[in-house]
């Protein structure tokens, strides 16, 4: 059984359309196809999913650049290949700059299958990258929601102890606005009397800590923005 391929043909010639489809079938593709000749028909066809668009450059009521723009505006990232009987080098280069993936002359279709194979592979690579990027974005969003909605104060600081970020709960726990803490020493959140011993412990921790390993929680003393001291459990 051949490789499934959904092909949208923008072509006004029955002969040329039949020839293109025959080449694809001989190349081992199991085709689902549709042929359109006008902008209206293309607009309707783009409501469906396609793996490949092959377009003649000049049609009586339409052209490949117009079709390419419609495909792009529809948000479809599919290989768009121009197959034309008469297209100059300057015109072809302009089409490629506009986003066409390749162009071929109708009188020389020996490159058609290799070009299609290459562009389908590149399209799969782009889709894989998009999925990876989307998964990362979703992961970051979940992390951010967890961070922002945590009832415990969560503080991010660098190896020098300078606060880089604090979640909204910090205001409830310590009385500081999040923005007021950024760039300040993390030990502002503890009484002066225990600063020095804590700093020594922090430096030792930063030198020996294993990334990802949860530090053991310990009881200590915190200090609010108004100077009030209170017991906290920190890790």
């Amino acid at each position: 059984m051949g490789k499934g391929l959904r092909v949208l043909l923008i072509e006004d010639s029955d002969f040329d359309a039949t020839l293109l489809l025959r080449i694809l079938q001989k190349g081992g593709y199991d085709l689902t196809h549709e042929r359109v000749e006008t902008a209206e028909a293309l607009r309707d066809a783009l409501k469906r999913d396609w793996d490949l668009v092959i377009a003649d450059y000049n049609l009586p009521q339409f052209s490949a650049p117009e079709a390419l723009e419609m495909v792009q505006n529809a948000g479809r990232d599919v290989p768009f290949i121009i197959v034309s009987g008469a297209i100059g080098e300057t015109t072809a280069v302009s089409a490629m700059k506009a986003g066409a993936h390749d162009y071929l002359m109708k009188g020389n279709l020996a490159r058609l299958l290799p070009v299609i194979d290459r562009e389908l592979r590149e399209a799969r690579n782009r889709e894989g990258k998009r999925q990876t990027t989307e998964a990362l974005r979703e992961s970051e969003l979940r992390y951010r929601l967890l961070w922002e909605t945590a009832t415990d104060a969560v503080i991010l600081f660098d190896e020098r102890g300078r606060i880089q970020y604090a979640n909204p709960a910090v205001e409830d726990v310590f009385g500081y606005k999040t923005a007021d803490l950024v760039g300040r020493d993390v030990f502002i959140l503890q009484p002066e009397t225990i600063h020095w011993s804590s700093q020594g412990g922090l430096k030792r921790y930063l030198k020996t800590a294993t990334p990802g390993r949860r530090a053991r929680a310990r009881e200590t003393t915190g200090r609010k923005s108004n100077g009030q001291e209170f017991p906290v459990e920190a890790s």
Side-chain angles (χ1 to χ4, degrees), residues 9 11-21 56 106 109:
L9 289 178
E11 176 61 72
D12 65 321
S13 166
D14 292 337
F15 177 83
D16 291 341
T18 300
L19 176 62
L20 290 170
L21 293 173
D56 191 357
K106 287 186 176 180
L109 295 176

Side-chain angles (χ1 to χ4, degrees), residues 14 29 37 75 78 85 87 122 197 224:
D14 292 337
Y29 289 107
E37 301 180 31
V78 296
I87 179 172
E122 290 297 320
S197 61
K224 294 180 180 288

Side-chain angles (χ1 to χ4, degrees), residues 97-113:
K97 287 183 177 179
H101 293 87
D102 212 327
Y103 70 92
L104 300 167
M105 304 303 292
K106 287 186 176 180
N108 181 17
L109 295 176
R111 290 178 54 238
L112 181 61
L113 289 175

Side-chain angles (χ1 to χ4, degrees), residues 192-210:
E192 292 284 351
T193 53
I194 60 174
H195 270 193
W196 295 111
S197 61
S198 292
Q199 286 185 14
L202 176 63
K203 289 176 180 178
R204 287 191 299 274
Y205 170 75
L206 291 173
K207 287 181 179 179
T208 61
T210 301

Side-chain angles (χ1 to χ4, degrees), residues 114-165:
V115 165
I116 289 174
D117 288 342
R118 181 196 69 208
E119 293 304 330
L120 291 175
R121 184 169 58 252
E122 290 297 320
R124 287 193 295 269
N125 290 340
R126 291 193 299 272
E127 178 61 22
K129 290 179 181 178
R130 280 194 296 271
Q131 291 177 356
T132 299
T133 300
E134 184 62 26
L136 178 60
R137 186 179 296 116
E138 290 180 4
S139 176
E140 290 175 342
L141 177 59
R142 287 194 296 269
Y143 177 78
R144 185 177 302 166
L145 288 172
L146 179 63
W147 179 285
E148 296 285 352
T149 58
T151 56
D152 291 331
V154 184
I155 300 163
L156 177 68
F157 55 91
D158 62 20
E159 68 277 4
R160 298 173 302 166
R162 296 292 177 183
I163 297 173
Q164 304 298 307
Y165 185 80

Side-chain angles (χ1 to χ4, degrees), residues 40-93:
E40 291 74 18
L42 176 59
R43 189 173 295 110
D44 182 65
L46 288 175
K47 296 175 183 177
R48 296 175 285 281
D49 291 330
W50 302 101
D51 301 314
L52 174 70
V53 177
I54 300 178
D56 191 357
Y57 193 85
N58 288 307
L59 292 85
Q61 305 178 56
F62 206 25
S63 71
E66 294 174 282
L68 175 60
E69 185 176 2
M70 289 180 63
V71 171
Q72 292 171 333
N73 290 340
R76 299 305 181 91
D77 181 13
V78 296
F80 189 101
I81 298 172
I82 297 174
V83 178
S84 178
I87 179 172
E89 184 177 347
T90 301
T91 302
V93 170

